[in-house]
Structures are given as structure tokens and as C-alpha cells.
Amino acid sequence: MNSAFELPAEANPLTENLLLHALKSAASNDVHQLQTGTKQLQQWETRKGYYPHLQSIFLDKHLPREVRYLAVIQLKNGIDKYWRKAATNAVNKEDREAVRVRLLPSGTREADHQLALQNALVIAKITKFEYPNDWPDEVTTIIELLRASAHPNSPSLQLPRTLLILLQIVKELTSGRTPRIRATVQSLTSEIFRVVAPIYIDKLHSWLSFLQHGGDDEGGALQDVEHSLLALKVIRRLLIAGYEFPNRENDVQSFWTITRDHFGTLLQVAAQGASSLTQDAIVAIQKHLMQLAKYHVEMAQAHPFAFVHMHESLNLVQAYWNLAAEYSKIFASTTYSMKDAGISMDEDPRKTFQERLCLKGLLITRACLKMVFNPAPSIKYKQPQEKEERAQATEIVKSQLLTSDFVKELMETVVTRFFVIRASDLREWEEDPEEWESRQEGEGDSFEFSVRPCAEKLFLDLAINFKDLLVPPLLDVFYAISSPDHDNLGLKDSVYTAIGLAAPVSYQALDFDSFLASTLVPESQKQQPGYNILRRRIAILLAQWISVKISQSSRPAVYSIFRYFLSKEDSLNDGVVRITAARQFKAIADEWEFDASHFLPYASDVLSSLMDLIESVELAETKLALLETVSALVERMGQHISPYADEIVSLLPRLWEQSGEENIMKQAILTILARLVSSMKAESRKYHLMALPIIKGALEPDSETRVYLLEDALDLLANILEQTDQPTPQALLGIVPYLLKVLDLGTDTLRKALEIVESYFLFLPSEMLHDSLRLPLIHSLDSLLGSLKADGNGVLTHLFEVIILQAESIAGERAVEITVTDLLNSYFLPNLLNGLHSSYLAHCTTGPLARESLVDGAIETDYFTMLSRLMIASTRITLTAIEPARSVSNTSKARPSNAAEAPEPFEKTMSWLLEEWFSHFPDIPSLPVRKLHCLALTNLLTTTQPFILNRLQDLMTVWTSVIIELRTSDESKDVKSDSLVYDPTLIHSNYTMEDGQSMPEAPEEARRRALEGRDPVHKYNTVEFVAGRLSEVIANVGGIETFREQWLVNVDVEVVRAFGELGVL
């Protein structure tokens, strides 16, 4: 029977029985059956009747649980993919209705909790798509089920299952961000709240009474716990998302008061009955307390100004802080002391809950600070009532909560208790130093889930906003303990933590250079037990201050400290100290004023220690962090990194092999290689051959790593091409076909890929102009023409210019003719003219008959720039190609345009083309580009055709404008001056520094300068070029008199006078 599933879907009809067999196969432990069944399910998932059959199988309670579970999972996954009406292969209306009608009745009777949960998720996902338009009575039905559940004869599962369904619906809807979903939530909130709130209150009072006074129905009490918790979860989400101004709603205010009272009552019950309550009872109380705490914190974060106007809200904040302060004593009681280093304290089993509750206290306090000093920006118009409420709330918090005494208490508690290093930390430090260090580093980004990072955020908020109040007493404590002879390491670690965090606000009051020399240097060398704690903190402290206030004269002391901390010879430099120092040194190297020459005396030891450490650590995250430090050093040291490059590179192959599927590690390795090549310049060539296979592997279309490594591989390839002058052409050229496929991707890497292709044409022009590479490249460029934004099109234009210049320099007019033929055959030139014609038509039409331009602005300039390059290279060949190009652009082979269907005469083409060109010329901002266009238009005079001679007035206007712009300051001495013509003696000279030494130049820089030397913009003097072409056309038409009578007579006398004053002729 299983073999039937291997048939194509169209040959294997979908029935409920066959679907059941497929599900059994997909749930099987046999690999072949699992693959066969899964494949069949995938083939059926777009077939009519598939989802109703899945639901029927799920509802059949006689079937095995695993089959039912797989059926509902398949149903849930299908909703995400196919339930939206606009989705490809969307589920039809009949199937959606068949599924929908059975959802609620089945969901309220399902005994298995996991199956009920999955069914509730199905309902929630369908609700997002279908309520209220296609399922208008859903919420009404749910509310009726909730009300009916109060009846004595109602099924026992009806209330918890209905609440579970409602909870998932509310979760799904409140997570939405679209206006439609937000409006739906707000329209439902009041009605649902009035039904669910009494359930919560009644059930909580019931089981709370059982706990306080006892009773016989323990099972009923446990059910009440489940019901009240579900109801509270629903209410919490609804009240946060369902009201824009919750403080204005009487129901919300009343429930707020109830939750505040419940919070206090539950805390009291938990404290008084801690020894007598069962574990189940303790867990029930804790879960309710956490839900209430989440409600209070989310209200403060989502509606901070409304929160302040809630009844007794500031007293609630104070109560939360009191809980946090009380827990801080437990937190701090496990601090490390040199006197009792051997004492171990067992952790309280309820500590996790207390810590979570403490975290809520820190978060709600931070929310109040943010509301006053950094409220969330909003562009929404505020009514006078809202403005008044916001102003009142801000003033209330400032005057009644954030008093000087309270702020000082906050800081003191945070610094002296939450910043301490605990005995549990030290145990983990000793047991698994690498894991502990990694966790400490990662916690900074998860401050909402951990006390220590959250306390650090709170301290920073306080230090920034109460600088004048808090910095002086903090410095007083700091000065009291910042002596090498002060041995209270726990206090020192805490205060140094605070000083590091407060660096941006305390740097003016603290002479850190003196502190570094008098205290940190001696402390970093102390050989006493426990000083590894301080060494770790000193490394972090220096990284925090390096960009704030450490002078250049003090930098060697910093480098010396880190060199010392990275050494494995000192026993106090354990794994945590060395890894922390290595990780933090990235900030030292990345600092803006880092001077590689000052670091050189320490470079060898630091880099060797980093290399040893990278090989010794095991966690991939730690290796990656250390590689980033090495990468920063490679970049900032420049050519000074060369003596250490072999050691760095020798490590990379092993790391590449060890990385396995950790593509982020491979990215870091590619980045290091790219920076080495860039920093070492010519000295990096010995690594090029090693890198090319890696680049090729990352660019191959079928490569699994392409999506992860493409960008870094392109950076590396760009750097190699920039530094190469004695190539291995075959190895480099072998990458080009894969590079061209990257162009077809059209992703964010397109710009870089175009720049690399340009580098190839600069380096290997003859090879790149070969048919095997040139033709597919031009085809790819054609597909990009018209699809890029202005900046991307500018890169494409520059590449085009390089191709034309290189082709002309290699084989003259013959190469230009081949290139133009390629552009014609690939539709590049037809589509370029098509775009320009659409712009011409758009400028010629207005009102209802107005045409839309395919190109505009900078892109139109780019199009004319590409045409200019062709005109200057060979006017004859370009004009010969224009007529067939316009014929092609009028066919269906080219992109749709506003062009007429009939073939266009050549004279008409040149007429609209020149009219559009001259009208666009004043909009060209760049002087070099204006000169290029001027030369191209001037070159048309060699044809002596009426289409250009009739434009003599436009030409003279262009000449006058460009020549005046190009005049140098000593124009009176030389009327032929052109500021863009380079002195030939400078074209091939190296740059020199002030001390006369030659500055290293990348080979590609030399190639670019050589190309610029051949560029007509820098090669031809504009005045001489215009004079030459003008003299030539005068001679060709029969002399100056004939020229005046036939052509110059049509030019405005003022235009002729202005041009004559230039002294061109």
C-alpha cells in the first residue's frame, strides 16, 4: 500500500482513507515510510478537500494520538501558507467553511491538552484572516460558551478549553500591527473583558479561600487555579492592546485596583504560608503574581502616561522597588570575600521567582524614568486632553517619585548590591570559565530577562539624567577605594563597574590618566588571590574609557596592561581574564585615535597571545569574538601587520575546517583575509592563490554557503584585484563566469559585483573582451538597464565607460565596432534609446495625454553619458547603429515603450534625440560629465549633416558654458586653458608624503590613473577640440562665407557674440 504514495499526486487521488495512511507513514519511525508519507502530504497540500480531511482525522478520537497530532499540525501549517485569499493555491471557500464550522465545538471538548492547544492555535490563525468578515459570529459564540460554562450541568472542559481558545485568539490579534487588526482588538476588548473579568475574580477568590481556610474539594481548587490563570492572561493582553487611553476607562481603573489588591494579598499569603503550603500551591501563587507583574510593567511601558494616572500607581512602583531592594540583600549576600572565599552558600529554591519579581521592579522603575526623560516619539496629533495628561504625569513622577532621596537610594542599591560578583558566579567561573564569560558578555543584550544587565541599564539612566546629583557621591566612593592598597575586591569591582558605565557623564570630573597610572597599572600586576576578578574588570573598564578620555601619552600603559592580561604565563590570568581581555581589546583597536606606530612594541606579544587563545577556546561564539579582535587589529595596523600575517593566515585553514556549518565563522575568516590583502597591499600577493578557491566556492550558484558568504567573498575578491599586478589569469578568470551570475541575482551585492567587473576590465582588459566573457556580460548589463536606482545606475554607467575606453585602447575603432554590434544585438542600445525617447515624449506632452518617462534625472544623464562615450570613440559607428537600434526598439523584442510601432526614419531619430539631449544638458551637475557630453556633441560636426548643423545655436550655447567653466584662474594669459586636462608628467608618478617618502600605491590605483590619462575628458583640450571640429566643418561646407550664409545666420547674434568673445577661432 505504501508504494501507492510514491505516485505523482495527480495519479494518486486524495481520499480521507489514503490521507490517513499517508499520515501514519509520515509519523512512522521507519525512515523510508516517513519520507514517502511526507512527500505525499506535500503533494496533496494544495488539493481540494485536503484540509477538511485533515480535520476529520484530527477529530477521530479512536485514532492514535501521534496521527491526530500530525494531522492538526499539518492543518496549522497549511493555514500560514494557503489560508490568505490572495495566496498562491489558496484554500477554496468551501473547504474553509467546512473547517471553520467544526472548530469551536471540537475545541471545547478535546480532553488532551496538547491537542487542544494546537486546535486553539488553528482557530487563532484562522481568526486573523477571517474575523469579522467571513466569520462574524465567532466572538459571540465564544462569549456564549463562556457564559454557558457557569451552568452547573455544563461540561467540565468547556470553560478551560474556551478560555484557552480565547487566549490564543487574543495572542494572535494583539501581536498584529496593521490598523485593521488593531481596530478589531479595540472593538472586542470591552465585551470580552466584561465576561472574562468576573470569571477571573470568582475563580481566584475560590481557590484563594481554599488555601486560606481549607476545604474538601482540592481537585476543584486546582481547576479554579487553571481557570483564573487563563482568564488573567487573556485580560492582561486585552487591556494593554485594546485601549488607547486605558486610564479613561472606568472598568480598567476598577480592575487595576483589584489587581493591585490581589498582588498584595498573594504576596502576603505566600510569605505567611511559605512553610505550610504545598509546592503546587506555591507555584500557583507565583504564576499569578508573575502575570500581575507583567500586567503592571507592560502598562508602564506601553501606556506610560496612562500608567501614572492609574489609581495608586506610584505607590505600586515603590512597592515593586521595595521588593527589588529586598531581593538585592539576598543577591548581595553571596558576594565574594577574601576572608570567606571557601564558604559556599546553597541557593534558595525560590530564588528564581524572587529574581524574576525583582526584575519587574527594575523594569517598572526604568519605565518611569523613560517616561519623564526619554518618552517614545510620536507624530500623531495630540488632543488638548492628552497633552494635559502627559504634562501632569511627567510632573507627578518628577515630584512624587523621582525625589533626590529615592534617586540616591536607587543608585546606592544598584552599585553596592546588584553590581557585586557573587559566589555562584565564582563557582561557575572556576567550573566552566569560557561558558561563564560568554554568558556574561551576552547578557548585556537581554537586560529585560536578567537582573544584572537590567540594573546596569537603570544605573546608566540615572547617571545620565541625574548627573549633578549622582556623580559627586559616586566619585567620593571611588576615590575612597581607588588605591592599590584597598583590598575589598567585591566593592572595587562594583564601583569600577559604575565608573565604567558612567564614563560618558563623569569624564570631566575624573582624571582617568592619573587613575590609570597610579592605580590601575599597579593593581593589574598584583599577585594576590582574587585579583583575577579585578583584572577582568580593569580590561572592561579600559575598553569603556578608551573612546572617552584616555590621552595618547597613556595609550602605551593600556597596551602594556592588555599584553600582560593576555599572557598565559601568569597564573592569575585564567581563562576568563584572558578571554575578556582579548574580547575587550577590539574596542581598543577600533578606537578612532588608535595609532599603529605606538602599538608596534606590543603587537607581537598581543597577536601571538590572541592566536594561542583562539586555538585553545572551544565555544564557536568565543572564537568568533576573538577573530573579530584580530580582524580589527589587521585593519587598523595597515601595512604594519605584514610581519605577523603568516602566523594569522596559518591559523585560518584549521578554523575553516573546524567551523563546520558555522557560516558566521567563515564570514569572519573571509573578512580577515580581505583586510589582510587591503592592509598589506603588494605584500599580500602570496595569499591570493590560497583565497581564490574559497571565493569561487562562495560564488558558485549551487553552493550551500553562497547566501551567507557572498558579500564577504566579493569584498575579498575586490581587494585581491585591487592589489594584484602580476596575475595568475586563469585562476582569476575562472571566477568571472560565477561573478556574472551574481549580476543576474539583482541583490544588495549587485553594486559590489559591478565594481569588481570594472576592476577586471582595468586589470585584464584583453581577456575580459574575449567573446566568451564579453557577450554574457553585455547580456547581463542589458537586463540591469532601466531596473536600477540612480546610484546603482551610476555604477553601471562607469563600468560601461571603462569597457569602451579599454576596447578602444586595445584594438581601436575595430574593437568599438564589435562592442557596438554587441550592444545592438543584446538590445542594450535599443533599450537605452527607448528610455531616452520616453523621456522626450514625457517632456513634450502634458495634461490627459501626458506620457510617463522610463528614465529621469540622474539616470537620463547616465544614458547620455554612455551614448557620449560611443560618440567620441567613433561617431560613424555609433550613428550607423542608431537607426537599426530604433527599429529594434519598436518591436516586441525590446521593453515596452511609448515609441510608435512603425520604423522611425534616421533623421527623425536624430531630431528628437538632439532636442532631448540639449534640453537636458543644463541639468547635468558634474563638470567632467558636462565636458564629456560637450565633446560628443561637438564630434557630430564631423558628419556635416543638417541634424547637427541646424542645432548650431544649441551647440554654441553649450561651448560657451563649458569653456567658461573650464577656464583656470590665469585665463587672461591662456584662452585655451582647460582645468580638466592633466599634466602628462603626473599621470604615472607616485604620490609623495610631506617627508618626501613614496606613499604605497595599490596597483589598481595606477591602472585607474593610466585610464584617466587616456580619457578624452582629461586628454583633449576643449577649446582646441571645438576649434578643430568647427574649422573642419567650415572647410567641408565650402568655406567661412558659405558657413555664415547657410548655418551661422540661423544663430542668435547674442549667442554668436558670447561665443566669439571666448577666442576659440
Side-chain angles (χ1 to χ4, degrees):
M1 189 55 154
N2 291 335
S3 61
F5 299 135
E6 298 178 3
L7 295 173
E10 59 273 12
N12 200 7
L14 172 62
T15 66
E16 188 172 320
N17 189 42
L18 287 175
L19 178 57
L20 175 59
H21 282 284
L23 287 169
K24 288 180 178 179
S25 294
S28 171
N29 293 326
D30 181 88
V31 176
H32 176 70
Q33 289 192 37
L34 186 148
Q35 292 176 345
T36 303
T38 301
K39 181 179 179 181
Q40 181 62 77
L41 293 176
Q42 292 173 347
Q43 292 172 341
W44 273 338
E45 63 183 9
T46 58
R47 297 280 294 277
K48 187 178 186 305
Y50 177 67
Y51 295 102
H53 287 323
L54 280 176
Q55 188 183 37
S56 297
I57 292 171
F58 164 67
L59 296 178
D60 189 345
K61 297 181 180 181
H62 296 94
L63 294 174
R65 182 182 184 277
E66 61 271 16
V67 174
R68 296 181 63 207
Y69 191 83
L70 182 57
V72 73
I73 291 294
Q74 291 291 321
L75 175 57
K76 183 181 69 172
N77 294 342
I79 294 169
D80 289 328
K81 292 193 288 186
Y82 304 115
W83 218 263
R84 186 180 286 104
K85 293 179 181 178
T88 305
N89 299 317
V91 178
N92 61 71
K93 182 178 180 180
E94 293 77 13
D95 282 2
R96 292 203 308 271
E97 289 178 351
V99 170
R100 191 170 59 233
V101 73
R102 296 187 289 179
L103 285 172
L104 290 177
S106 62
T108 57
R109 294 192 295 265
E110 178 56 59
D112 188 300
H113 178 74
Q114 287 301 319
L115 294 177
L117 175 60
Q118 294 303 321
N119 187 69
L121 290 170
V122 168
I123 296 173
K125 289 180 180 295
I126 291 177
T127 301
K128 182 176 67 174
F129 294 121
E130 301 202 351
Y131 181 85
N133 296 331
D134 298 317
W135 199 0
D137 62 340
E138 179 191 12
V139 174
T140 303
T141 303
I142 291 174
I143 290 175
E144 290 174 354
L145 288 169
L146 288 174
R147 287 177 174 150
S149 64
H151 194 276
N153 295 326
S154 63
S156 60
L157 285 174
Q158 182 167 312
L159 178 58
R161 293 298 181 255
T162 306
L163 285 172
L164 180 63
I165 291 169
L166 183 58
L167 174 60
Q168 299 308 321
I169 291 173
V170 171
K171 276 185 178 181
E172 188 73 37
L173 294 180
T174 54
S175 65
R177 292 293 180 264
T178 64
R180 180 186 69 83
I181 293 180
R182 286 202 301 267
T184 299
V185 174
Q186 291 173 1
S187 67
L188 296 174
T189 297
S190 294
E191 186 177 8
I192 296 176
F193 174 70
R194 290 191 177 96
V195 175
V196 179
I199 295 174
Y200 161 71
I201 295 170
D202 177 63
K203 299 299 181 181
L204 183 133
H205 286 170
S206 175
W207 67 261
L208 195 55
S209 175
F210 178 85
L211 287 181
Q212 292 174 317
H213 308 295
D216 299 327
D217 190 7
E218 183 177 353
L222 291 175
Q223 288 182 351
D224 290 340
V225 167
E226 179 190 358
H227 301 166
S228 62
L229 188 60
L230 284 170
L232 181 55
K233 289 179 178 180
V234 171
I235 295 170
R236 172 172 70 83
R237 289 173 170 82
L238 274 179
L239 296 188
I240 298 300
Y243 295 105
E244 188 173 1
F245 302 102
N247 59 300
R248 301 178 190 176
E249 304 292 330
N250 292 332
D251 288 343
V252 179
Q253 286 280 12
S254 298
F255 188 76
W256 178 267
T257 302
I258 291 171
T259 62
R260 187 169 50 83
D261 293 341
H262 285 175
F263 189 79
T265 301
L266 290 172
L267 276 177
Q268 186 177 8
V269 170
Q272 293 176 352
S275 59
S276 60
L277 291 176
T278 65
Q279 186 62 32
D280 289 341
I282 292 174
V283 171
I285 293 174
Q286 290 178 354
K287 286 183 176 180
H288 281 76
L289 281 170
M290 290 311 303
Q291 287 300 315
L292 292 170
K294 286 181 180 180
Y295 172 51
H296 297 150
V297 171
E298 288 170 4
M299 184 67 75
Q301 292 174 336
H303 304 286
F305 299 99
F307 169 81
V308 178
H309 291 290
M310 304 298 278
H311 184 59
E312 297 286 341
S313 60
L314 296 191
N315 288 339
L316 187 64
V317 175
Q318 187 67 58
Y320 272 106
W321 172 250
N322 291 339
L323 290 172
E326 189 66 26
Y327 174 71
S328 71
K329 299 175 183 178
I330 302 174
F331 192 91
S333 66
T334 57
T335 54
Y336 174 80
S337 170
M338 292 179 64
K339 296 179 181 179
D340 57 5
I343 297 177
S344 174
M345 177 175 288
D346 294 332
E347 294 196 351
D348 189 329
R350 290 169 293 183
K351 178 183 170 185
T352 301
F353 167 71
Q354 291 175 326
E355 188 164 346
R356 290 167 63 197
L357 209 54
C358 166
L359 183 59
K360 300 304 178 187
L362 295 174
L363 289 172
I364 205 168
T365 306
R366 281 202 74 215
C368 292
L369 281 165
K370 183 178 179 181
M371 185 269 289
V372 172
F373 297 105
N374 189 28
S378 173
I379 61 174
K380 181 182 176 183
Y381 175 75
K382 298 177 180 61
Q383 298 291 342
Q385 182 181 358
E386 182 181 358
K387 292 180 180 179
E388 184 179 356
E389 287 177 351
R390 291 168 70 97
Q392 288 177 353
T394 302
E395 182 58 32
I396 289 171
V397 173
K398 282 184 176 181
S399 60
Q400 298 182 25
L401 179 66
L402 299 178
T403 61
S404 297
D405 291 341
F406 183 61
V407 169
K408 289 179 180 178
E409 179 188 343
L410 290 174
M411 188 197 72
E412 182 180 353
T413 302
V414 167
V415 173
T416 61
R417 295 179 181 172
F418 287 123
F419 283 179
V420 298
I421 189 163
R422 301 177 292 173
S424 59
D425 291 322
L426 294 175
R427 285 198 300 272
E428 294 173 13
W429 180 325
E430 293 294 332
E431 292 168 1
D432 194 344
E434 190 178 337
E435 179 67 37
W436 183 84
E437 190 278 339
S438 178
R439 187 167 62 251
Q440 295 297 310
E441 184 66 25
E443 281 186 348
D445 298 328
S446 57
F447 67 90
E448 292 187 349
F449 307 102
S450 185
V451 167
R452 170 71 181 249
C454 189
E456 291 181 357
K457 294 287 186 182
L458 176 58
F459 172 83
L460 194 55
D461 291 342
L462 293 169
I464 291 172
N465 297 303
F466 295 95
K467 173 184 174 182
D468 296 336
L469 177 65
L470 299 181
V471 170
L474 175 63
L475 291 179
D476 289 341
V477 176
F478 169 72
Y479 291 135
I481 60 98
S482 60
S483 165
D485 299 328
H486 197 289
D487 287 335
N488 189 336
L489 299 185
L491 181 59
K492 269 195 175 184
D493 185 71
S494 298
V495 175
Y496 284 7
T497 299
I499 290 297
L501 293 172
V505 296
S506 63
Y507 68 94
Q508 293 178 326
L510 175 60
D511 186 353
F512 196 85
D513 286 338
S514 297
F515 168 60
L516 172 62
S518 64
T519 304
L520 292 186
V521 171
E523 284 183 338
S524 66
Q525 299 174 359
K526 272 205 161 187
Q527 296 290 330
Q528 295 180 19
Y531 266 83
N532 54 339
I533 298 172
L534 207 56
R535 291 187 181 187
R536 170 182 174 270
R537 180 54 54 191
I538 289 172
I540 298 172
L541 180 65
L542 291 173
Q544 291 169 321
W545 273 85
I546 191 69
S547 61
V548 177
K549 190 183 178 183
I550 296 183
S551 65
Q552 284 293 334
S553 60
S554 297
R555 300 295 172 97
V558 174
Y559 304 147
S560 179
I561 289 174
F562 273 92
R563 177 175 64 179
Y564 188 67
F565 288 172
L566 286 167
S567 173
K568 61 183 177 182
E569 303 303 323
D570 192 322
S571 59
L572 282 178
N573 292 338
D574 58 18
V576 171
V577 172
R578 294 175 63 209
I579 293 172
T580 302
R583 190 191 293 269
Q584 298 300 326
F585 197 75
K586 181 177 184 293
I588 307 298
D590 265 343
E591 201 274 325
W592 178 258
E593 297 181 358
F594 178 84
D595 190 332
S597 61
H598 294 167
F599 176 66
L600 281 180
Y602 313 91
S604 178
D605 292 337
V606 169
L607 283 167
S608 295
S609 297
L610 284 171
M611 295 297 104
D612 290 341
L613 192 57
I614 289 173
E615 289 203 272
S616 64
V617 297
E618 297 179 357
L619 292 180
E621 188 277 333
T622 305
K623 285 183 182 289
L624 179 62
L626 303 190
L627 278 175
E628 289 175 351
T629 299
V630 173
S631 183
L633 275 171
V634 168
E635 183 178 38
R636 298 308 303 275
M637 288 183 67
Q639 279 200 299
H640 296 298
I641 198 66
S642 297
Y644 319 105
D646 285 347
E647 183 180 2
I648 295 173
V649 172
S650 66
L651 179 64
L652 300 183
R654 292 196 299 275
L655 292 177
W656 186 277
E657 292 298 324
Q658 293 171 9
S659 64
E661 297 182 359
E662 292 283 348
N663 290 302
I664 192 170
M665 181 79 73
K666 291 184 171 71
Q667 289 175 339
I669 293 171
L670 287 174
T671 300
I672 289 178
L673 280 173
R675 289 179 173 180
L676 275 173
V677 171
S678 179
S679 297
M680 295 175 64
K681 299 187 181 301
E683 294 180 82
S684 70
R685 291 166 194 155
K686 56 186 175 181
Y687 306 129
H688 293 183
L689 279 177
M690 179 193 78
L692 291 177
I694 300 175
I695 297 171
K696 182 180 178 182
L699 266 58
E700 289 176 342
D702 298 332
S703 171
E704 296 180 358
T705 61
R706 183 181 188 180
V707 66
Y708 306 103
L709 305 183
L710 179 59
E711 185 175 351
D712 298 286
L714 290 176
D715 288 338
L716 177 56
L717 178 59
N719 289 349
I720 288 176
L721 285 167
E722 184 179 357
Q723 302 300 335
T724 300
D725 62 352
Q726 296 178 353
T728 52
Q730 291 308 315
L732 275 173
L733 288 173
I735 296 176
V736 176
Y738 303 106
L739 182 63
L740 298 184
K741 294 185 183 299
V742 174
L743 296 179
D744 297 333
L745 291 177
T747 60
D748 294 339
T749 58
L750 177 61
R751 182 188 182 98
K752 174 62 70 174
L754 288 171
E755 292 171 349
I756 293 173
V757 173
E758 181 178 313
S759 295
Y760 266 106
F761 269 96
L762 289 170
F763 183 42
L764 302 169
S766 299
E767 291 83 353
M768 290 298 295
L769 287 169
H770 190 273
D771 291 352
S772 60
L773 296 178
R774 186 189 72 253
L775 294 176
L777 171 63
I778 291 179
H779 176 76
S780 296
L781 296 184
D782 171 59
S783 66
L784 296 176
L785 190 70
S787 64
L788 302 176
K789 294 182 179 179
D791 56 342
N793 203 82
V795 179
L796 173 63
T797 301
H798 199 267
L799 169 59
F800 181 89
E801 294 182 82
V802 170
I803 293 174
I804 297 300
L805 288 172
Q806 293 290 64
E808 185 182 13
S809 67
I810 290 174
E813 196 172 60
R814 173 57 184 161
V816 175
E817 184 175 10
I818 294 173
T819 304
V820 171
T821 301
D822 293 340
L823 295 174
L824 180 62
N825 294 336
S826 68
Y827 304 111
F828 185 96
L829 186 58
N831 287 323
L832 184 146
L833 293 172
N834 198 33
L836 293 173
H837 190 243
S838 72
S839 183
Y840 166 75
L841 292 177
H843 295 152
C844 292
T845 55
T846 58
L849 299 178
R851 301 290 187 90
E852 183 179 355
S853 175
L854 298 177
V855 297
D856 202 3
I859 294 180
E860 184 173 359
T861 300
D862 291 337
Y863 278 27
F864 278 123
T865 297
M866 290 186 274
L867 200 58
S868 297
R869 286 293 179 189
L870 294 174
M871 290 284 192
I872 296 174
S874 176
T875 302
R876 177 186 63 81
I877 293 173
T878 304
L879 293 179
T880 302
I882 284 179
E883 184 171 7
R886 279 299 293 159
S887 299
V888 171
S889 68
N890 287 324
T891 70
S892 59
K893 294 180 181 179
R895 296 186 182 96
S897 74
N898 297 319
E901 291 293 335
E904 185 177 72
F906 175 73
E907 292 75 12
K908 183 178 180 180
T909 298
M910 294 305 300
S911 175
W912 68 254
L913 181 63
L914 290 173
E915 182 175 342
E916 179 64 18
W917 201 338
F918 282 116
S919 67
H920 180 73
F921 193 88
D923 297 331
I924 302 173
S926 169
L927 180 57
V929 177
R930 287 165 64 83
K931 177 180 177 179
L932 178 70
H933 290 215
C934 174
L935 296 178
L937 290 167
T938 304
N939 227 26
L940 287 173
L941 287 174
T942 59
T943 65
T944 64
Q945 293 297 313
F947 63 74
I948 186 62
L949 291 173
N950 283 329
R951 297 282 179 180
L952 195 57
Q953 177 162 317
D954 294 324
L955 259 179
M956 286 188 168
T957 303
V958 167
W959 290 337
T960 304
S961 170
V962 172
I963 291 173
I964 291 175
E965 287 185 88
L966 291 171
R967 285 275 169 92
T968 57
S969 58
D970 56 346
E971 58 181 277
S972 59
K973 298 181 181 179
D974 185 7
V975 297
K976 295 183 178 180
S977 63
D978 187 330
S979 60
L980 290 177
V981 175
Y982 288 172
D983 183 346
T985 62
L986 298 178
I987 296 300
H988 296 290
S989 64
N990 285 328
Y991 301 111
T992 56
M993 296 183 286
E994 293 181 0
D995 59 5
Q997 294 183 354
S998 178
M999 181 183 295
E1001 180 186 46
E1004 185 167 301
E1005 294 177 12
R1007 291 192 285 267
R1008 288 191 182 279
R1009 289 191 297 104
L1011 185 71
E1012 288 179 8
R1014 302 194 303 269
D1015 190 337
V1017 172
H1018 306 299
K1019 181 179 179 182
Y1020 296 139
N1021 181 285
T1022 306
V1023 174
E1024 295 176 354
F1025 191 87
V1026 170
R1029 295 298 183 270
L1030 196 54
S1031 298
E1032 184 179 343
V1033 74
I1034 290 173
N1036 288 339
V1037 298
I1040 187 66
E1041 294 301 326
T1042 304
F1043 180 74
R1044 283 178 179 156
E1045 293 174 1
Q1046 293 185 3
W1047 307 110
L1048 195 60
V1049 69
N1050 300 322
V1051 182
D1052 186 269
V1053 292
E1054 289 298 320
V1055 174
V1056 175
R1057 182 187 60 78
F1059 176 69
E1061 291 176 353
L1062 297 177
V1064 174
L1065 292 177

